[in-house]
Amino acid sequence: MKGRQWRYTPLPTEMEDTLSGEEGEEEEEEEEEEPAPALQDPVEPQLTEASQVLGASEIKQLSPHLPPRVTGHPWSLVFCTSRDGFSLRRLYRQMEGHSGPVLLLLRDQDGQMFGAFSSSAIRLSKGFYGTGETFLFSFSPQLKVFKWTGHNSFFVKGDLDSLMMGSGSGQFGLWLDGDLHRGGSYPCATFNNDVLARREQFCIEELEAWGLS
């Protein structure tokens, strides 16, 4: 009897260990998969009104690239050409009283969507201002984001005749004229960016400036 018991008892123990091991593996796999969807929810911003440049899909793609400090803040439309007209001076006036970061969204005559994130409000300046949070982006058609390279600090500069973002060797990553009708984009050392539009010089169909604080 003892011999038969000795042969019999290990079998269910081994089976139980095997089954419990398999169940543990299944539980671990389920635990690893569950948190993933929840990470996507907080990055979707709330807009005070609909954008005429970007759709919901583009906004969702762009949001994770914004600095963590603006996450959860609503997007407030400070300026748009369809409402406020094509005027850089008007853009500066609309920005008065705003000190937080700004997202510029553009659509050109080819339907190309691109823009820039500025770490602070757009304003008149004698020199370049901003921080390394500033970046350029383009949907061409997939999203490409061009972050600060650290090569120089030529982030944003605005005068009455133009608005410039990123520079190097006399080229600007993005510039807009005083009438906000025409602009240009060239590779620059600040962001090591591609040309944001389909051509280096473009005509602006729609421009929006969103406050993110």
Side-chain angles (χ1 to χ4, degrees), residues 100-129:
V102 172
L103 188 65
L104 282 180
L105 306 180
L106 293 94
R107 186 179 68 249
D108 68 7
Q109 79 278 10
D110 297 321
Q112 181 72 13
M113 298 174 293
F114 53 95
F117 172 82
S118 173
S119 60
S120 57
I122 304 298
R123 56 182 171 82
L124 281 168
S125 62
K126 293 182 179 180
F128 282 90
Y129 61 90

Side-chain angles (χ1 to χ4, degrees), residues 130-172:
T131 71
E133 289 180 328
T134 306
F135 65 83
L136 304 178
F137 64 89
S138 176
F139 288 90
S140 55
Q142 300 300 319
L143 174 63
K144 292 183 180 180
V145 176
F146 305 99
K147 302 277 185 162
W148 180 41
T149 62
H151 186 78
N152 61 44
S153 299
F154 301 147
F155 299 115
V156 186
K157 183 178 184 296
D159 56 36
L160 294 177
D161 299 319
S162 60
L163 175 66
M164 296 147 281
M165 306 190 74
S167 185
S169 302
Q171 305 271 43
F172 299 110

Side-chain angles (χ1 to χ4, degrees), residues 49-53 77-87 90 94 105 107 179-181 204-210:
E49 51 193 288
S51 171
Q52 301 302 313
V53 177
L77 188 60
V78 179
F79 174 90
C80 67
T81 50
S82 60
R83 180 190 69 195
D84 303 306
F86 287 79
S87 170
R90 182 65 182 272
Q94 294 289 97
L105 306 180
R107 186 179 68 249
D179 295 327
L180 294 183
H181 280 303
I204 301 169
E205 290 291 327
E206 186 74 34
L207 181 146
E208 298 174 345
W210 295 84

